[in-house]
Structures are given as C-alpha cells and as structure tokens.
Amino acid sequence: MTASDFPVWHGTTIVLVKKDGRTVIGGDGQVSIGQTIVKGNAKKVRRLAKGEVIGGFAGATADAFTLFERLEAKLEQYPGQLMRACVELAKDWRTDRYLRRLEAMMLVADAKAALVLTGNGDVLEPEATERGSVMGIGSGGNYALAAARALLDTDRDAAAIARRALEIASEICVYTNRSVVIEEIASN
C-alpha cells in the first residue's frame, strides 16, 4: 500500500479579517477523511507567543502542529518580529528535507502584521483597502474570502465578519462546518 492509497484528509476553512483596529482569525472545526467526518470540533485556530500572535492552519494536522512549534521557536528567537520569524520559518520550510514534505498552510497575525505562509516559501500580506483586509485558506477559503470581502462594507466588526463568512463557507463547502473558533487581537 502506498501513501496515495490512503484516504485523503480533506480541508478546512480559515479566514483572517482586519478591520477598525482589530485582527481576527477564525476557523471551522470539521476534520474529514475522504467522505467521512471524523471530528466536528477540532481547534484549528490558536494563540502563540504568550498570546501576542494568533494563527490558524489548513492541511494535515500533524504537519500544522509541527509548523506551529517551529513558528513558536522562531518567535522566541525573534521576539516581537512576526514578519522576520515567518520569513525564517518559510526558508526552513523550503530547504529542510523533513519540513519540505509538510502539507499545510497558515494564517498568522500580531498587532503589526497579518500573513499567509505556504510550503512554497510564500509569506504574503493581504491586500489592504480603506475598508480593511481579508485572507482565506483551506477548502472553503475562497468562499469565506469572497463573503468577508463583501461584508467589509457593512457595519459589522471583524469578528462578526469572520463568523458570518465561515457560516457562508459552511453552506457551500462540504468540508467546512459551523463549529467556529475565533481569536482576536488588536492591530495597528
């Protein structure tokens, strides 16, 4: 039996919203193997660096935990410098033989920056508009991204936008549910 013969762990939805001095990362709780839901309340969004950083992941769970641990170590090495820590993690992710095989994406934010990290070495900031900015990753990420962009024009705050965007994604993406976890941080 080869790795491709095993059922595929499918997606999630993680969304980041920056609006009115607040940054929020929200995620659903569904974990699926193939066509089977194996858990409905997984926590894919958490606080890092003694609460100064929030992050969410999409992809293989063990891979994401490994990346969170590596990011924590980089944040200890470069305290208060999320961008630098993420760039250093991305370098390692691209060049380290073990890390290169990890399949996950991350959204992370602190008071100064909001970033998406990928295994391709990408460290990207969301496009900022006068209304705010949003990013989405995972199987329902594009649905949540579209919904959040539309909701930026409303009077909803960042947390309400993230929650509603995840609800909309759950109505479209079969790998996304309504068991939502939201973490929020003040931003500059």
Side-chain angles (χ1 to χ4, degrees), residues 67-79 85:
L67 292 167
F68 273 144
E69 287 172 8
R70 296 285 181 119
L71 180 57
E72 285 269 21
K74 294 294 183 188
L75 288 166
E76 286 176 16
Q77 189 176 356
Y78 306 106

Short mmCIF file of all heavy atoms in Angstrom, two decimals, residues 67-79 85:
data_model
loop_
_atom_site.label_atom_id
_atom_site.label_comp_id
_atom_site.label_asym_id
_atom_site.label_seq_id
_atom_site.Cartn_x
_atom_site.Cartn_y
_atom_site.Cartn_z
N LEU A 67 4.54 22.86 12.32
CA LEU A 67 4.81 24.22 11.86
C LEU A 67 4.54 25.25 12.97
O LEU A 67 5.29 26.21 13.12
CB LEU A 67 4.00 24.54 10.61
CG LEU A 67 4.45 23.76 9.39
CD1 LEU A 67 3.42 23.89 8.27
CD2 LEU A 67 5.82 24.23 8.92
N PHE A 68 3.48 25.05 13.75
CA PHE A 68 3.22 25.95 14.88
C PHE A 68 4.37 25.90 15.88
O PHE A 68 4.80 26.93 16.39
CB PHE A 68 1.91 25.59 15.59
CG PHE A 68 0.68 26.24 15.02
CD1 PHE A 68 -0.52 25.55 14.99
CD2 PHE A 68 0.70 27.53 14.53
CE1 PHE A 68 -1.67 26.14 14.48
CE2 PHE A 68 -0.44 28.14 14.02
CZ PHE A 68 -1.63 27.43 13.99
N GLU A 69 4.88 24.69 16.17
CA GLU A 69 6.02 24.56 17.08
C GLU A 69 7.24 25.28 16.53
O GLU A 69 7.94 25.98 17.27
CB GLU A 69 6.35 23.08 17.32
CG GLU A 69 5.35 22.38 18.18
CD GLU A 69 5.59 20.87 18.25
OE1 GLU A 69 6.62 20.38 17.74
OE2 GLU A 69 4.73 20.18 18.83
N ARG A 70 7.49 25.12 15.24
CA ARG A 70 8.64 25.79 14.62
C ARG A 70 8.45 27.30 14.63
O ARG A 70 9.40 28.04 14.86
CB ARG A 70 8.83 25.30 13.17
CG ARG A 70 9.18 23.85 13.05
CD ARG A 70 10.64 23.61 13.44
NE ARG A 70 11.00 22.22 13.30
CZ ARG A 70 11.92 21.76 12.49
NH1 ARG A 70 12.63 22.59 11.75
NH2 ARG A 70 12.17 20.48 12.42
N LEU A 71 7.23 27.76 14.39
CA LEU A 71 6.97 29.20 14.43
C LEU A 71 7.17 29.74 15.84
O LEU A 71 7.76 30.80 16.01
CB LEU A 71 5.57 29.53 13.91
CG LEU A 71 5.20 31.01 13.90
CD1 LEU A 71 6.19 31.84 13.09
CD2 LEU A 71 3.78 31.20 13.40
N GLU A 72 6.69 29.01 16.84
CA GLU A 72 6.91 29.42 18.24
C GLU A 72 8.40 29.59 18.51
O GLU A 72 8.82 30.56 19.13
CB GLU A 72 6.33 28.38 19.21
CG GLU A 72 4.84 28.40 19.32
CD GLU A 72 4.31 29.31 20.41
OE1 GLU A 72 5.01 30.23 20.87
OE2 GLU A 72 3.16 29.10 20.80
N ALA A 73 9.22 28.65 18.04
CA ALA A 73 10.67 28.73 18.25
C ALA A 73 11.24 29.96 17.55
O ALA A 73 12.10 30.66 18.11
CB ALA A 73 11.35 27.46 17.74
N LYS A 74 10.77 30.24 16.34
CA LYS A 74 11.25 31.43 15.62
C LYS A 74 10.82 32.71 16.33
O LYS A 74 11.57 33.69 16.37
CB LYS A 74 10.74 31.44 14.17
CG LYS A 74 11.28 30.31 13.32
CD LYS A 74 12.76 30.41 13.10
CE LYS A 74 13.24 29.31 12.17
NZ LYS A 74 14.70 29.25 12.07
N LEU A 75 9.63 32.70 16.90
CA LEU A 75 9.15 33.88 17.63
C LEU A 75 9.94 34.10 18.91
O LEU A 75 10.13 35.24 19.33
CB LEU A 75 7.65 33.75 17.93
CG LEU A 75 6.74 33.90 16.71
CD1 LEU A 75 5.33 33.42 17.03
CD2 LEU A 75 6.72 35.33 16.21
N GLU A 76 10.41 33.02 19.53
CA GLU A 76 11.28 33.15 20.70
C GLU A 76 12.64 33.71 20.27
O GLU A 76 13.25 34.51 20.98
CB GLU A 76 11.46 31.80 21.40
CG GLU A 76 10.24 31.37 22.16
CD GLU A 76 10.37 29.98 22.77
OE1 GLU A 76 11.52 29.47 22.87
OE2 GLU A 76 9.33 29.42 23.15
N GLN A 77 13.10 33.29 19.10
CA GLN A 77 14.38 33.76 18.57
C GLN A 77 14.30 35.22 18.14
O GLN A 77 15.26 35.97 18.28
CB GLN A 77 14.78 32.88 17.39
CG GLN A 77 16.18 33.11 16.88
CD GLN A 77 16.52 32.10 15.76
OE1 GLN A 77 15.76 31.20 15.42
NE2 GLN A 77 17.70 32.27 15.19
N TYR A 78 13.15 35.63 17.59
CA TYR A 78 12.94 37.00 17.11
C TYR A 78 11.69 37.59 17.77
O TYR A 78 10.67 37.78 17.13
CB TYR A 78 12.77 37.01 15.58
CG TYR A 78 13.88 36.34 14.84
CD1 TYR A 78 13.70 35.08 14.26
CD2 TYR A 78 15.12 36.95 14.72
CE1 TYR A 78 14.74 34.46 13.57
CE2 TYR A 78 16.16 36.33 14.03
CZ TYR A 78 15.95 35.08 13.47
OH TYR A 78 16.98 34.47 12.80
N PRO A 79 11.75 37.87 19.07
CA PRO A 79 10.55 38.35 19.78
C PRO A 79 10.03 39.67 19.20
O PRO A 79 10.81 40.56 18.88
CB PRO A 79 11.03 38.53 21.22
CG PRO A 79 12.50 38.37 21.22
CD PRO A 79 12.92 37.80 19.91
N ALA A 85 10.22 36.25 11.83
CA ALA A 85 10.05 34.86 12.25
C ALA A 85 9.42 34.03 11.14
O ALA A 85 9.84 32.90 10.88
CB ALA A 85 9.22 34.79 13.52
#
